[in-house]
Amino acid sequence: MPNFRHLYYFWIVAKQGGFARAAEHLGMAVQTISVQVRELEKDLGHALLKPAGRSVALTEAGQAAFARAEQIFALGQGLAGEVRAAGSAPVARLAVGLSDGLSKLAAHALLAPVLATPRLRLVCHEGELDELLSELALHQLDVVLAGQGAPRIANQRLSSERIASSALHWYGPASLVRKATRERFPQSLQDLPVLLPTAHAPLRATLDQWFEDLGVQPRIVGEFEDSALLAVFAARGLGVFPVSELGAKDVGLVRGLRLLGDCPDLREEVHAIWSRRGRNHPLVRQIVAAAQREETTARTASVEAR
C-alpha cells in the first residue's frame, strides 16, 4: 500500500508541471517535496517522472499512477460533504428480499406506502427463498416478501404474516383482447397465446389446476419469473397473462394492455417474513400495517357487495 501523502505530493507535482511550482502551490520547500516523491517511486519500484526541459513529464508508469491518483483524490474531495450530509440527516435504509416467484408488480404496490419516506434508501434483492431467508437470518435483509410463509428452519427464528390476498385478473394487448374474447372468457383462453409465471411461483400450480378444472389446454408461448417483464412482452403482442388485483394497479404503467377477464376465486397471496430485529424496523411495520388496512377494506367492500 503506497503512502498516500507521498502520492498526494506526486499528484500535485504532475498537475503543476514541476517541483518548483508544486512547492509554491503547497508553500513547502522543493527539497521536501522531491524527497517525498522519490520515496513513492521507491515504494512502487518505478520512476514516475522524467525531466522535460525546466519542468517534468510523466513516464508510462507515472501516467498510470497519476490516473489512479486523480480518482483517489477526486473521491477524497467529496468525502467531507458526504460525511456532513450523512451525519446531519441519517438515511432511512430498507433492505427487502423479493422471492423470485413473487409478482414484482404486487411487490411494488406493497412497498408503495414507504416510497415517499424522506432520504429513503431502498435496496431490493431478488432470489430464491432459501437464499433470502439465510440473508434475513444474518440481518442482511430487513424483510422478505414471498408467496408463502416462513418455513420452520432450525436455528432461524423467523416469523411471517400474510399481508395480502388478491384476486387474479387477465390482461392482454388490444390486438388480442376483443369483445368476443371477453364474452367467452375464460374459455377463450383456449384460443389465445398465454404467458405464465414460471414453476418457481406458487401461483403457477394454482393456475395449472384451474386450467385442468376448466378443461382448457392453454397455448403457452412464454414463461417469466419477473411479472413486470411479462407485462412488457404482453403489451408488445406476445400474449395474455394473469396478474393479481394488487399488481394490476401498476399494469397501467405499461401502455397498450386491456382487461380480458376476472378470476375472483383465484388469489395470489403475499407473506412478509422477518427476523425479530426486522419486525421492529419502522418501515417494515409501516408496510405491514398499510397492507393489513388495505386487505380489511377490500374484505369489507366484498361483504357489502354481497
Side-chain angles (χ1 to χ4, degrees), residues 17 19 41 63 140 149 235 277 290:
F19 286 95
E41 291 178 322
Q63 291 174 7
Q140 296 171 352
R277 173 178 167 180

Side-chain angles (χ1 to χ4, degrees), residues 7-17 40 44 48-49 57-74:
L7 182 64
Y8 177 73
Y9 291 146
F10 157 74
W11 180 59
I12 294 297
V13 170
K15 289 175 73 70
Q16 295 295 323
L40 177 65
L44 296 178
L48 304 178
L49 299 169
L58 293 169
T59 64
E60 289 191 13
Q63 291 174 7
F66 180 75
R68 185 64 65 177
E70 285 273 73
Q71 298 174 346
I72 290 171
F73 294 118

Side-chain angles (χ1 to χ4, degrees), residues 68-116:
R68 185 64 65 177
E70 285 273 73
Q71 298 174 346
I72 290 171
F73 294 118
L75 290 172
Q77 288 170 351
L79 177 62
E82 292 176 7
V83 170
R84 262 196 316 272
S88 60
V91 171
R93 186 180 184 277
L94 177 64
V96 181
L98 301 176
S99 172
D100 57 8
L102 180 70
S103 164
K104 301 311 176 292
L105 293 175
H108 177 266
L110 289 168
L111 295 176
V114 302
L115 296 183

